[in-house]
Amino acid sequence: MALLNLDSVSLVYPGDDRPAVANLSLAIDQGELLAVVGPSGCGKSSTIGLLAGLTQATSGLLTLNNMPIVAPGPDRAVVFQDYSLFPWMTALDNIVFALQESGRALGKAAREEAGKLLEMVGLESYSHKYPGELSGGMRQRVAIARAFALDAPVYLMDEPFGAVDARNRVSLQDLLLKLWIGSGAKKTIFLVTHDIDEALYLADRIAVFTPGPGRVQKIIEVPFPRPRRRYFLVQDRRYIDLRNEILSLLQKEILEEFQQVEGGAGI
Ligand SMILES: Nc1ncnc2c1ncn2[C@@H]1O[C@H](COP(=O)(O)OP(=O)(O)OP(=O)(O)O)[C@@H](O)[C@H]1O
Ligand SMILES: [Mg+2]
């Protein structure tokens, strides 16, 4: 049964004439890792805002465990696209704060756990730096460590690795898989990404959005058994076919939108 459910959800921001999300229906099962890909501006972050309870839908219904989503809650950890850390707290203290807020650890134990989380994301020697003293990719890694500290059942992640360099990205993807599988019940993850390979490596299903307003164009089941091995995956014929299918879905939509604007001229 679906844990997260979006039923004909639309969102028009105040003052806008065009919806950011239009009639979006999507069901995400408990323990599922769903990736969302789609062109810039198609409403991916807006959908995260709705699922997080930070924004209210103009129409339609969003539920978590059959209960309407009306506000943010500790059951959902959000990694924002702009990795919003508290600028007045060091990297370590940002994570300590999350551990204490979620009640997972206090005092010395929280500082030790925060140190381990920073080490996991490769930033143990930056623990006393403030966000303003870190690079974009480093800030993003602190934000991920902070989200991991929350140990929530649902993760809403908006391009969490977008600003991270290739080497760290690969290890963070594997870290995310560890977090997902966890020790008890699997977490439910809604992951927005621009990286098709990332989606194919991580996800159970991939929702390809239309260019906008946000709707699902196609849901793709990722057929590869786990654990997935990058090296073998990229050589698998089905991987290459799925990758091409997603690319052509994205390109087709962009092309169609362009044709509408241009009246089809010159293509
Ligand atoms: N707070 C806001 N107020 C008004 N309009 C907004 C707001 N946030 C987003 N929008 C508009 O909603 C639409 C969808 O934006 P959204 O940020 O959800 O796209 P996205 O798919 O996350 O794009 P990207 O891939 O570039 O991050 C855009 O037209 C954008 O201008
Ligand atoms: Mg976005």
Side-chain angles (χ1 to χ4, degrees):
M1 193 198 63
L3 178 77
L4 278 172
N5 204 58
L6 297 108
D7 188 6
S8 307
V9 171
S10 296
L11 168 66
V12 184
Y13 287 107
D16 278 4
D17 41 13
R18 196 178 126 98
V21 176
N23 222 6
L24 172 63
S25 292
L26 188 59
I28 302 127
D29 286 336
Q30 199 288 318
E32 182 174 21
L33 203 166
L34 179 94
V36 173
V37 297
S40 182
C42 74
K44 303 180 297 295
S45 297
S46 299
T47 305
I48 292 229
L50 290 164
L51 287 168
L54 294 163
T55 322
Q56 302 304 315
T58 314
S59 62
L61 184 65
L62 293 104
T63 56
L64 169 60
N65 247 333
N66 285 325
M67 300 291 287
I69 295 174
V70 288
D75 45 11
R76 282 152 289 151
V78 190
V79 178
F80 294 101
Q81 196 168 6
D82 55 4
Y83 35 87
S84 49
L85 297 167
F86 297 125
W88 60 88
M89 285 186 193
T90 62
L92 189 84
D93 286 343
N94 263 285
I95 301 169
V96 168
F97 182 79
L99 286 166
Q100 292 182 336
E101 278 293 286
S102 65
R104 280 195 57 218
L106 296 170
K108 191 162 173 274
R111 297 187 74 76
E112 275 174 19
E113 177 68 18
K116 278 189 209 150
L117 285 160
L118 273 183
E119 200 179 327
M120 261 168 42
V121 296
L123 289 177
E124 59 277 22
S125 50
Y126 292 85
S127 61
H128 297 293
K129 295 267 188 197
Y130 289 88
E133 300 169 328
L134 298 171
S135 73
M138 288 174 176
R139 280 202 289 276
Q140 205 170 25
R141 282 189 271 157
V142 178
I144 290 159
R146 189 181 60 175
F148 285 4
L150 293 170
D151 196 27
V154 176
Y155 276 76
L156 307 170
M157 309 184 94
D158 199 351
E159 294 179 46
F161 313 132
V164 175
D165 62 283
R167 192 169 55 87
N168 278 305
R169 195 178 177 115
V170 164
S171 63
L172 286 172
Q173 288 168 349
D174 289 331
L175 214 57
L176 178 68
L177 289 177
K178 266 196 203 151
L179 168 93
W180 174 52
I181 293 160
S183 47
K186 257 200 219 161
K187 298 186 184 307
T188 305
I189 300 184
F190 185 94
L191 171 82
V192 170
T193 178
H194 272 129
D195 182 339
I196 297 174
D197 294 302
E198 179 167 284
L200 284 167
Y201 178 63
L202 295 176
D204 293 320
R205 288 188 305 157
I206 302 173
V208 184
F209 274 34
T210 59
R215 260 182 310 107
V216 176
Q217 185 186 175
K218 182 157 189 188
I219 300 250
I220 289 176
E221 303 267 349
V222 183
F224 311 115
R226 299 178 191 270
R228 294 178 185 159
R229 308 266 300 273
R230 290 173 204 274
Y231 178 75
F232 294 110
L233 211 57
V234 294
Q235 298 182 55
D236 190 317
R237 185 70 237 170
R238 291 172 304 169
Y239 183 94
I240 299 163
D241 289 347
L242 278 177
R243 200 177 185 287
N244 284 337
E245 183 184 354
I246 297 169
L247 265 175
S248 73
L249 282 171
L250 293 172
Q251 281 165 0
K252 180 178 123 249
E253 290 293 331
I254 293 165
L255 207 65
E256 275 172 11
E257 195 178 58
F258 186 70
Q259 280 171 326
Q260 277 166 19
V261 174
E262 299 290 307
I267 300 179

